[in-house]
Amino acid sequence: MADKVVLAYSGGLDTSAAIRWLKERYGFDVITVTVDVGGVRDLPAIRDKALKVGATKALVKDARKEFVEHFVFPALQADAIYEGQYPLATALARPLMARLLVEVAQEEEASAVAHGCTGKGNDQVRFEVSIHSLAPDLKVVAPAREWGMTREQTIGYAQRHGIPVPVTVASPYSVDENLWGRSIECGVLEDPWAEPPEDAFAWTKSPSEAPDKPEYVEIDFDRGIPVALDGREMDGVSLLQRLNEMAGGHGVGRIDHVENRLVGIKSREIYEAPAATVLLRAHQAMEAMTLSRDQLRFKQKVAMEYADLIYNGLWFTPLRRDMAAYVQSSQRFVTGTVRVKLLKGNCVVAGRKSPFSLYSHGLATYAQGDQFDQSASPGFIHIWGLPVRTQAQIQPGEAEGGSKSK
Ligand code: ARG
Protein backbone atom coordinates (compact mmCIF):
# COMPACT_ATOMS: atom_id res chain seq x y z
CA MET A 1 0.00 0.00 0.00
CA ALA A 2 1.29 3.45 -0.91
CA ASP A 3 2.09 6.02 1.75
CA LYS A 4 -0.54 8.69 2.17
CA VAL A 5 -0.12 12.44 2.12
CA VAL A 6 -2.74 14.98 3.19
CA LEU A 7 -2.70 18.03 0.94
CA ALA A 8 -4.22 21.43 1.76
CA TYR A 9 -6.24 21.94 -1.40
CA SER A 10 -7.64 25.22 -2.68
CA GLY A 11 -8.72 24.01 -6.10
CA GLY A 12 -6.32 26.41 -7.79
CA LEU A 13 -3.60 25.68 -10.30
CA ASP A 14 -0.71 24.96 -7.94
CA THR A 15 -2.48 22.63 -5.56
CA SER A 16 -4.16 20.81 -8.47
CA ALA A 17 -0.80 20.26 -10.14
CA ALA A 18 0.50 19.19 -6.72
CA ILE A 19 -1.94 16.26 -6.55
CA ARG A 20 -0.43 14.85 -9.70
CA TRP A 21 3.12 15.77 -8.77
CA LEU A 22 2.96 14.15 -5.31
CA LYS A 23 1.86 10.87 -6.94
CA GLU A 24 4.47 11.04 -9.65
CA ARG A 25 7.40 12.23 -7.59
CA TYR A 26 6.86 10.37 -4.31
CA GLY A 27 4.28 7.72 -5.16
CA PHE A 28 1.88 9.07 -2.55
CA ASP A 29 -1.81 8.43 -2.35
CA VAL A 30 -3.14 11.96 -2.04
CA ILE A 31 -5.96 12.93 0.29
CA THR A 32 -7.05 16.52 -0.16
CA VAL A 33 -8.52 18.74 2.51
CA THR A 34 -10.27 21.94 1.52
CA VAL A 35 -10.93 24.20 4.46
CA ASP A 36 -13.84 26.60 4.28
CA VAL A 37 -12.95 29.74 6.22
CA GLY A 38 -15.43 31.85 4.30
CA GLY A 39 -13.79 32.48 0.96
CA VAL A 40 -16.38 32.52 -1.79
CA ARG A 41 -15.80 29.26 -3.59
CA ASP A 42 -17.77 26.41 -5.07
CA LEU A 43 -16.82 23.67 -2.61
CA PRO A 44 -18.54 20.70 -4.31
CA ALA A 45 -16.79 21.65 -7.56
CA ILE A 46 -13.44 21.83 -5.79
CA ARG A 47 -14.05 18.38 -4.31
CA ASP A 48 -14.93 16.92 -7.71
CA LYS A 49 -11.89 18.49 -9.25
CA ALA A 50 -9.55 16.95 -6.66
CA LEU A 51 -10.94 13.50 -7.41
CA LYS A 52 -10.80 14.05 -11.15
CA VAL A 53 -7.19 15.16 -10.98
CA GLY A 54 -6.29 12.03 -9.04
CA ALA A 55 -6.87 12.38 -5.31
CA THR A 56 -7.89 9.14 -3.61
CA LYS A 57 -10.09 11.04 -1.20
CA ALA A 58 -11.26 14.64 -1.11
CA LEU A 59 -12.49 16.17 2.13
CA VAL A 60 -14.14 19.53 2.67
CA LYS A 61 -14.24 21.02 6.16
CA ASP A 62 -16.53 23.86 7.12
CA ALA A 63 -14.34 25.62 9.66
CA ARG A 64 -16.01 29.02 9.52
CA LYS A 65 -17.45 28.97 13.01
CA GLU A 66 -14.26 27.76 14.55
CA PHE A 67 -12.23 30.27 12.56
CA VAL A 68 -14.34 33.18 13.73
CA GLU A 69 -14.70 32.12 17.37
CA HIS A 70 -11.22 30.80 18.08
CA PHE A 71 -8.98 32.79 15.77
CA VAL A 72 -10.64 35.98 14.51
CA PHE A 73 -12.40 37.14 17.67
CA PRO A 74 -9.42 36.58 19.96
CA ALA A 75 -7.35 38.65 17.51
CA LEU A 76 -10.05 41.34 17.52
CA GLN A 77 -10.09 41.37 21.33
CA ALA A 78 -6.33 41.83 21.18
CA ASP A 79 -6.63 44.62 18.56
CA ALA A 80 -4.00 42.70 16.60
CA ILE A 81 -3.07 44.64 13.45
CA TYR A 82 0.25 43.94 11.76
CA GLU A 83 2.40 47.03 11.27
CA GLY A 84 -0.60 49.19 12.03
CA GLN A 85 -2.35 48.18 8.81
CA TYR A 86 -3.03 44.52 8.13
CA PRO A 87 -5.80 42.81 10.14
CA LEU A 88 -4.11 39.41 9.57
CA ALA A 89 -6.84 37.48 7.72
CA THR A 90 -4.55 34.99 6.00
CA ALA A 91 -2.19 34.75 8.94
CA LEU A 92 -5.07 33.74 11.24
CA ALA A 93 -6.42 31.06 8.92
CA ARG A 94 -3.16 29.17 8.42
CA PRO A 95 -2.80 27.72 11.92
CA LEU A 96 -6.38 26.46 11.80
CA MET A 97 -5.74 24.84 8.43
CA ALA A 98 -2.57 23.32 9.80
CA ARG A 99 -4.48 21.81 12.70
CA LEU A 100 -7.10 20.32 10.39
CA LEU A 101 -4.36 18.85 8.18
CA VAL A 102 -2.74 17.25 11.20
CA GLU A 103 -6.07 15.85 12.41
CA VAL A 104 -6.82 14.27 9.04
CA ALA A 105 -3.27 12.94 8.78
CA GLN A 106 -3.72 11.22 12.14
CA GLU A 107 -7.14 9.82 11.25
CA GLU A 108 -5.91 8.55 7.91
CA GLU A 109 -2.54 7.38 9.21
CA ALA A 110 -0.77 9.46 6.62
CA SER A 111 2.97 9.87 6.86
CA ALA A 112 3.09 13.41 5.52
CA VAL A 113 1.13 16.58 4.90
CA ALA A 114 1.58 18.99 2.01
CA HIS A 115 0.75 22.59 1.17
CA GLY A 116 0.94 24.66 -2.00
CA CYS A 117 3.02 27.56 -0.72
CA THR A 118 6.08 28.82 -2.50
CA GLY A 119 9.38 29.42 -0.76
CA LYS A 120 9.05 33.20 -0.70
CA GLY A 121 6.12 33.88 1.54
CA ASN A 122 4.92 33.82 5.11
CA ASP A 123 2.39 31.06 4.61
CA GLN A 124 4.95 28.26 4.29
CA VAL A 125 6.34 29.33 7.66
CA ARG A 126 2.91 29.49 9.29
CA PHE A 127 1.90 26.07 7.97
CA GLU A 128 5.10 24.30 8.86
CA VAL A 129 5.77 25.84 12.24
CA SER A 130 2.14 25.11 13.22
CA ILE A 131 2.25 21.56 11.90
CA HIS A 132 5.48 20.81 13.70
CA SER A 133 4.18 22.31 16.89
CA LEU A 134 1.15 19.99 16.79
CA ALA A 135 2.88 16.91 15.38
CA PRO A 136 6.65 17.18 15.61
CA ASP A 137 7.27 13.95 13.69
CA LEU A 138 4.99 14.55 10.73
CA LYS A 139 6.77 15.12 7.42
CA VAL A 140 5.88 18.20 5.40
CA VAL A 141 6.15 18.40 1.61
CA ALA A 142 5.90 21.70 -0.26
CA PRO A 143 5.58 20.83 -3.96
CA ALA A 144 5.47 24.40 -5.27
CA ARG A 145 8.67 25.15 -3.38
CA GLU A 146 10.39 22.01 -4.64
CA TRP A 147 9.38 21.63 -8.24
CA GLY A 148 11.05 24.79 -9.50
CA MET A 149 8.45 25.46 -12.20
CA THR A 150 7.50 28.98 -13.28
CA ARG A 151 3.83 29.83 -13.53
CA GLU A 152 3.94 29.18 -17.30
CA GLN A 153 5.63 25.83 -16.76
CA THR A 154 3.04 24.87 -14.16
CA ILE A 155 0.29 25.70 -16.67
CA GLY A 156 2.10 23.53 -19.24
CA TYR A 157 2.42 20.72 -16.71
CA ALA A 158 -1.28 20.95 -15.93
CA GLN A 159 -2.24 20.91 -19.61
CA ARG A 160 -0.05 17.88 -20.32
CA HIS A 161 -1.74 15.98 -17.51
CA GLY A 162 -5.29 16.94 -18.32
CA ILE A 163 -5.62 19.12 -15.24
CA PRO A 164 -8.18 21.84 -15.91
CA VAL A 165 -6.51 25.24 -15.75
CA PRO A 166 -8.91 27.59 -13.96
CA VAL A 167 -10.02 30.75 -15.72
CA THR A 168 -8.77 32.66 -12.70
CA VAL A 169 -5.26 31.93 -13.97
CA ALA A 170 -6.04 34.58 -16.56
CA SER A 171 -6.38 37.05 -13.69
CA PRO A 172 -3.17 38.95 -13.10
CA TYR A 173 -3.65 38.76 -9.33
CA SER A 174 -3.00 36.25 -6.61
CA VAL A 175 -5.84 36.33 -4.14
CA ASP A 176 -6.52 34.78 -0.77
CA GLU A 177 -9.73 35.35 1.13
CA ASN A 178 -11.66 34.45 4.23
CA LEU A 179 -14.26 36.08 6.48
CA TRP A 180 -11.71 38.46 8.01
CA GLY A 181 -10.47 39.84 4.69
CA ARG A 182 -9.14 39.44 1.19
CA SER A 183 -5.56 39.92 0.03
CA ILE A 184 -4.50 40.77 -3.50
CA GLU A 185 -0.94 40.55 -4.83
CA CYS A 186 1.00 40.34 -8.12
CA GLY A 187 0.63 41.93 -11.55
CA VAL A 188 0.73 45.72 -11.61
CA LEU A 189 0.43 45.79 -7.80
CA GLU A 190 4.10 44.83 -7.62
CA ASP A 191 4.87 48.44 -8.57
CA PRO A 192 4.40 50.30 -5.28
CA TRP A 193 3.98 53.57 -7.19
CA ALA A 194 1.06 52.24 -9.24
CA GLU A 195 -2.38 52.88 -7.80
CA PRO A 196 -4.32 49.62 -7.57
CA PRO A 197 -6.72 49.34 -10.51
CA GLU A 198 -10.41 48.93 -9.72
CA ASP A 199 -10.38 45.33 -10.93
CA ALA A 200 -8.19 44.35 -8.00
CA PHE A 201 -11.13 44.88 -5.68
CA ALA A 202 -14.06 42.54 -5.26
CA TRP A 203 -15.58 43.26 -1.85
CA THR A 204 -15.52 47.02 -1.77
CA LYS A 205 -17.15 49.66 -3.91
CA SER A 206 -14.89 52.42 -5.06
CA PRO A 207 -15.27 55.16 -2.42
CA SER A 208 -15.99 57.70 -5.14
CA GLU A 209 -18.91 55.59 -6.34
CA ALA A 210 -20.23 54.72 -2.90
CA PRO A 211 -23.52 56.29 -1.79
CA ASP A 212 -23.44 59.96 -0.80
CA LYS A 213 -25.75 59.21 2.10
CA PRO A 214 -24.09 57.88 5.25
CA GLU A 215 -25.25 54.64 6.82
CA TYR A 216 -25.06 54.04 10.55
CA VAL A 217 -24.58 50.70 12.21
CA GLU A 218 -24.69 49.85 15.90
CA ILE A 219 -22.45 47.09 17.14
CA ASP A 220 -23.05 45.44 20.51
CA PHE A 221 -20.02 43.99 22.25
CA ASP A 222 -20.10 41.46 25.03
CA ARG A 223 -16.72 41.26 26.75
CA GLY A 224 -14.96 42.32 23.57
CA ILE A 225 -16.92 40.04 21.24
CA PRO A 226 -19.36 41.56 18.73
CA VAL A 227 -22.72 39.89 19.28
CA ALA A 228 -25.32 42.04 17.51
CA LEU A 229 -25.76 44.48 14.64
CA ASP A 230 -28.41 47.15 15.03
CA GLY A 231 -29.80 45.30 18.01
CA ARG A 232 -30.14 41.99 16.16
CA GLU A 233 -28.19 39.20 17.77
CA MET A 234 -26.16 37.14 15.33
CA ASP A 235 -23.62 34.36 15.32
CA GLY A 236 -20.10 35.45 14.46
CA VAL A 237 -20.10 34.10 10.91
CA SER A 238 -23.32 35.88 9.94
CA LEU A 239 -22.19 39.05 11.64
CA LEU A 240 -18.97 39.16 9.64
CA GLN A 241 -20.76 38.36 6.38
CA ARG A 242 -23.32 41.09 6.98
CA LEU A 243 -20.75 43.67 7.96
CA ASN A 244 -18.46 42.83 5.04
CA GLU A 245 -21.36 43.53 2.67
CA MET A 246 -22.58 46.61 4.43
CA ALA A 247 -19.22 48.33 4.90
CA GLY A 248 -17.92 47.08 1.54
CA GLY A 249 -20.88 48.81 -0.10
CA HIS A 250 -19.56 52.09 1.30
CA GLY A 251 -16.02 51.46 0.08
CA VAL A 252 -14.76 50.88 3.62
CA GLY A 253 -11.78 48.63 4.27
CA ARG A 254 -9.32 49.12 1.42
CA ILE A 255 -5.73 48.88 2.62
CA ASP A 256 -2.52 49.49 0.67
CA HIS A 257 0.44 48.25 2.67
CA VAL A 258 4.12 47.83 1.89
CA GLU A 259 4.72 45.15 4.45
CA ASN A 260 7.70 43.35 5.90
CA ARG A 261 7.49 39.64 5.35
CA LEU A 262 9.07 37.31 7.84
CA VAL A 263 11.45 36.03 5.16
CA GLY A 264 12.97 39.48 4.78
CA ILE A 265 11.16 40.70 1.67
CA LYS A 266 9.20 43.94 1.51
CA SER A 267 6.05 43.34 -0.45
CA ARG A 268 3.24 45.57 -1.58
CA GLU A 269 -0.07 44.10 -0.48
CA ILE A 270 -3.58 45.25 -1.15
CA TYR A 271 -6.27 44.19 1.28
CA GLU A 272 -10.01 44.49 1.50
CA ALA A 273 -11.23 44.06 5.02
CA PRO A 274 -14.53 45.89 5.52
CA ALA A 275 -15.82 44.02 8.58
CA ALA A 276 -12.38 43.89 10.17
CA THR A 277 -11.87 47.62 9.70
CA VAL A 278 -15.22 48.48 11.27
CA LEU A 279 -14.94 46.01 14.13
CA LEU A 280 -11.37 46.89 15.06
CA ARG A 281 -12.25 50.56 15.16
CA ALA A 282 -15.45 49.97 17.12
CA HIS A 283 -13.72 47.61 19.53
CA GLN A 284 -11.03 50.16 20.25
CA ALA A 285 -13.73 52.74 20.88
CA MET A 286 -15.39 50.38 23.38
CA GLU A 287 -12.08 49.82 25.13
CA ALA A 288 -11.41 53.55 25.29
CA MET A 289 -14.61 53.88 27.36
CA THR A 290 -14.16 50.88 29.62
CA LEU A 291 -10.44 50.46 30.28
CA SER A 292 -8.27 52.72 32.37
CA ARG A 293 -5.46 54.69 30.78
CA ASP A 294 -2.87 52.31 32.14
CA GLN A 295 -4.78 49.24 31.01
CA LEU A 296 -5.01 50.73 27.53
CA ARG A 297 -1.32 51.62 27.35
CA PHE A 298 -0.21 48.19 28.42
CA LYS A 299 -2.67 46.48 26.12
CA GLN A 300 -1.37 48.42 23.12
CA LYS A 301 2.07 46.96 23.67
CA VAL A 302 0.62 43.49 23.90
CA ALA A 303 -1.37 44.13 20.71
CA MET A 304 1.79 44.78 18.75
CA GLU A 305 3.52 41.68 20.10
CA TYR A 306 0.42 39.60 19.49
CA ALA A 307 0.12 40.81 15.90
CA ASP A 308 3.77 40.01 15.20
CA LEU A 309 3.37 36.59 16.73
CA ILE A 310 0.33 35.81 14.56
CA TYR A 311 2.02 37.16 11.45
CA ASN A 312 5.17 35.18 12.14
CA GLY A 313 3.45 31.82 12.37
CA LEU A 314 3.71 31.34 16.13
CA TRP A 315 0.04 30.75 16.92
CA PHE A 316 0.55 27.34 18.48
CA THR A 317 3.06 28.40 21.09
CA PRO A 318 2.92 28.74 24.87
CA LEU A 319 3.54 32.48 24.51
CA ARG A 320 0.41 32.87 22.40
CA ARG A 321 -1.53 31.01 25.01
CA ASP A 322 -0.23 33.29 27.75
CA MET A 323 -1.02 36.43 25.79
CA ALA A 324 -4.48 35.12 24.99
CA ALA A 325 -5.15 34.65 28.70
CA TYR A 326 -4.16 38.24 29.40
CA VAL A 327 -6.27 39.56 26.53
CA GLN A 328 -9.26 37.50 27.60
CA SER A 329 -8.99 38.85 31.12
CA SER A 330 -8.68 42.43 29.86
CA GLN A 331 -12.10 42.18 28.22
CA ARG A 332 -14.17 41.68 31.41
CA PHE A 333 -15.87 45.06 31.09
CA VAL A 334 -15.57 45.67 27.32
CA THR A 335 -19.32 45.48 26.94
CA GLY A 336 -21.64 48.01 25.36
CA THR A 337 -22.62 49.54 22.04
CA VAL A 338 -20.67 51.48 19.44
CA ARG A 339 -22.36 53.45 16.71
CA VAL A 340 -20.37 53.70 13.51
CA LYS A 341 -20.95 55.87 10.45
CA LEU A 342 -20.04 54.48 7.02
CA LEU A 343 -19.52 57.04 4.29
CA LYS A 344 -17.48 56.98 1.06
CA GLY A 345 -14.61 54.81 2.20
CA ASN A 346 -14.63 56.11 5.74
CA CYS A 347 -15.70 54.46 8.91
CA VAL A 348 -16.06 56.84 11.81
CA VAL A 349 -17.15 56.18 15.36
CA ALA A 350 -20.18 58.37 15.94
CA GLY A 351 -21.12 57.27 19.46
CA ARG A 352 -20.52 54.76 22.22
CA LYS A 353 -22.17 53.67 25.47
CA SER A 354 -21.51 51.04 28.09
CA PRO A 355 -22.91 50.03 31.46
CA PHE A 356 -19.27 49.92 32.60
CA SER A 357 -18.21 53.20 31.07
CA LEU A 358 -15.49 55.02 32.98
CA TYR A 359 -16.50 58.24 31.28
CA SER A 360 -18.08 60.46 33.90
CA HIS A 361 -20.13 63.35 32.61
CA GLY A 362 -20.00 64.98 36.02
CA LEU A 363 -16.22 65.03 35.89
CA ALA A 364 -15.88 66.00 32.23
CA THR A 365 -18.53 68.67 31.86
CA TYR A 366 -17.86 72.38 31.48
CA ALA A 367 -21.54 73.06 32.02
CA GLN A 368 -23.76 72.91 35.13
CA GLY A 369 -23.20 69.99 37.48
CA ASP A 370 -19.41 69.99 37.45
CA GLN A 371 -18.17 67.57 40.13
CA PHE A 372 -14.48 68.05 39.50
CA ASP A 373 -12.78 69.86 42.38
CA GLN A 374 -10.78 72.49 40.55
CA SER A 375 -9.33 73.79 43.81
CA ALA A 376 -7.32 70.53 44.05
CA SER A 377 -5.51 71.19 40.79
CA PRO A 378 -2.86 73.65 42.00
CA GLY A 379 -1.62 71.09 44.55
CA PHE A 380 -1.56 68.40 41.91
CA ILE A 381 0.40 70.60 39.51
CA HIS A 382 2.78 71.58 42.30
CA ILE A 383 3.79 67.96 42.88
CA TRP A 384 3.60 66.84 39.24
CA GLY A 385 5.83 69.71 38.12
CA LEU A 386 8.26 69.40 41.03
CA PRO A 387 11.06 67.57 39.19
CA VAL A 388 10.68 69.85 36.17
CA ARG A 389 11.01 72.98 38.34
CA THR A 390 13.96 71.56 40.22
CA GLN A 391 15.82 70.74 37.05
CA ALA A 392 15.00 74.11 35.48
CA GLN A 393 16.57 75.85 38.48
CA ILE A 394 19.74 73.78 38.51
CA GLN A 395 20.25 73.34 34.76
CA PRO A 396 18.78 76.54 33.23
CA GLY A 397 18.11 76.64 29.49
CA GLU A 398 18.33 72.89 29.02
CA ALA A 399 14.65 72.49 28.12
CA GLU A 400 14.96 74.71 25.04
CA GLY A 401 17.88 72.84 23.58
CA GLY A 402 20.43 74.99 25.38
CA SER A 403 19.91 77.96 23.03
CA LYS A 404 19.50 80.35 25.94
CA SER A 405 22.09 78.88 28.28
CA LYS A 406 25.40 80.59 28.71
N1 ARG B 1 0.81 39.14 2.95
C1 ARG B 1 -0.28 38.53 3.62
C2 ARG B 1 0.22 37.62 4.69
O1 ARG B 1 1.36 37.26 4.69
C3 ARG B 1 -1.22 37.83 2.64
C4 ARG B 1 -0.73 36.52 2.14
C5 ARG B 1 -1.67 35.93 1.14
N2 ARG B 1 -1.31 34.57 0.87
C6 ARG B 1 -1.46 33.99 -0.30
N3 ARG B 1 -1.05 32.77 -0.41
N4 ARG B 1 -1.95 34.61 -1.34
O2 ARG B 1 -0.53 37.24 5.56
Side-chain angles (χ1 to χ4, degrees):
M1 225 177 61
D3 264 2
K4 296 180 194 166
V5 64
V6 178
L7 168 69
Y9 185 61
S10 68
L13 174 67
D14 283 342
T15 49
S16 297
I19 294 177
R20 177 71 202 213
W21 188 87
L22 285 163
K23 284 174 74 159
E24 234 174 39
R25 176 84 169 72
Y26 292 110
F28 276 127
D29 276 350
V30 182
I31 299 166
T32 60
V33 178
T34 303
V35 181
D36 182 6
V37 278
V40 273
R41 291 178 303 169
D42 182 349
L43 295 166
I46 291 178
R47 204 181 157 271
D48 287 349
K49 184 171 175 182
L51 296 171
K52 223 168 270 158
V53 174
T56 49
K57 203 181 225 187
L59 304 170
V60 171
K61 304 259 176 194
D62 181 354
R64 290 175 301 169
K65 183 171 151 54
E66 184 169 15
F67 178 54
V68 172
E69 290 175 4
H70 294 115
F71 293 81
V72 170
F73 284 170
L76 170 64
Q77 288 178 306
D79 302 304
I81 307 175
Y82 184 62
E83 295 182 339
Q85 297 221 65
Y86 167 40
L88 294 162
T90 299
L92 284 163
R94 295 316 187 208
L96 171 56
M97 291 175 177
R99 191 168 78 200
L100 292 169
L101 285 178
V102 168
E103 277 169 20
V104 173
Q106 286 163 350
E107 278 158 26
E108 299 283 343
E109 296 180 355
S111 60
V113 294
H115 60 73
C117 307
T118 68
K120 291 184 71 170
N122 299 311
D123 289 330
Q124 53 172 345
V125 181
R126 297 169 183 151
F127 269 124
E128 291 178 38
V129 172
S130 298
I131 289 161
H132 287 140
S133 165
L134 299 170
D137 298 325
L138 200 57
K139 267 199 307 255
V140 183
V141 191
R145 192 171 60 196
E146 275 183 46
W147 65 35
M149 291 192 277
T150 63
R151 188 131 188 99
E152 288 67 36
Q153 287 167 334
T154 313
I155 294 173
Y157 179 88
Q159 282 164 344
R160 280 200 305 285
H161 292 94
I163 300 168
V165 176
V167 251
T168 53
V169 166
S171 155
Y173 306 119
S174 157
V175 171
D176 185 58
E177 57 187 18
N178 63 50
L179 284 162
W180 201 228
R182 177 172 185 269
S183 75
I184 315 105
E185 294 164 87
C186 301
V188 64
L189 304 175
E190 288 179 355
D191 175 0
W193 178 250
E195 184 176 1
E198 267 314 303
D199 71 355
F201 300 101
W203 290 11
T204 53
K205 231 191 204 136
S206 167
S208 58
E209 271 150 41
D212 293 322
K213 209 170 140 286
E215 186 173 6
Y216 289 84
V217 56
E218 287 185 12
I219 301 156
D220 289 344
F221 286 94
D222 178 13
R223 281 159 287 181
I225 305 279
V227 292
L229 292 183
D230 290 326
R232 262 189 51 219
E233 273 185 39
M234 280 183 215
D235 65 275
V237 172
S238 312
L239 190 140
L240 289 184
Q241 283 168 339
R242 177 82 194 97
L243 209 48
N244 271 327
E245 269 170 40
M246 203 172 178
H250 287 274
V252 168
R254 293 186 174 189
I255 298 161
D256 182 340
H257 184 193
V258 173
E259 93 189 14
N260 291 291
R261 284 192 192 162
L262 180 56
V263 295
I265 302 170
K266 277 193 194 293
S267 76
R268 197 277 188 96
E269 310 270 330
I270 301 299
Y271 299 106
E272 296 183 281
T277 300
V278 173
L279 288 174
L280 284 161
R281 193 144 317 152
H283 179 256
Q284 284 168 7
M286 197 79 283
E287 288 188 327
M289 289 287 273
T290 53
L291 299 183
S292 71
R293 174 181 61 188
D294 292 343
Q295 284 178 305
L296 283 167
R297 297 292 148 93
F298 185 74
K299 191 163 181 294
Q300 279 168 7
K301 296 183 206 170
V302 175
M304 211 170 85
E305 295 292 330
Y306 206 152
D308 283 354
L309 177 146
I310 294 168
Y311 189 86
N312 294 336
L314 300 174
W315 183 270
F316 292 117
T317 57
L319 177 58
R320 206 289 304 178
R321 204 179 152 160
D322 296 342
M323 285 206 264
Y326 159 73
V327 168
Q328 187 61 35
S329 167
S330 74
Q331 302 295 289
R332 300 191 296 288
F333 294 105
V334 186
T335 292
T337 306
V338 179
R339 188 158 171 264
V340 169
K341 175 162 95 172
L342 309 169
L343 177 63
K344 289 204 161 295
N346 291 306
C347 149
V348 180
V349 172
R352 64 292 261 170
K353 60 182 180 185
S354 162
F356 307 112
S357 173
L358 301 174
Y359 176 88
S360 159
H361 187 266
L363 289 177
T365 187
Y366 286 97
Q368 278 264 308
D370 184 4
Q371 292 161 4
F372 186 85
D373 178 4
Q374 299 196 32
S375 71
S377 288
F380 168 74
I381 296 165
H382 183 75
I383 304 274
W384 174 251
L386 178 62
V388 178
R389 257 178 1 254
T390 306
Q391 193 165 19
Q393 277 159 359
I394 297 168
Q395 301 168 354
E398 278 297 291
E400 280 191 292
S403 59
K404 283 196 184 142
S405 66
K406 317 141 249 166

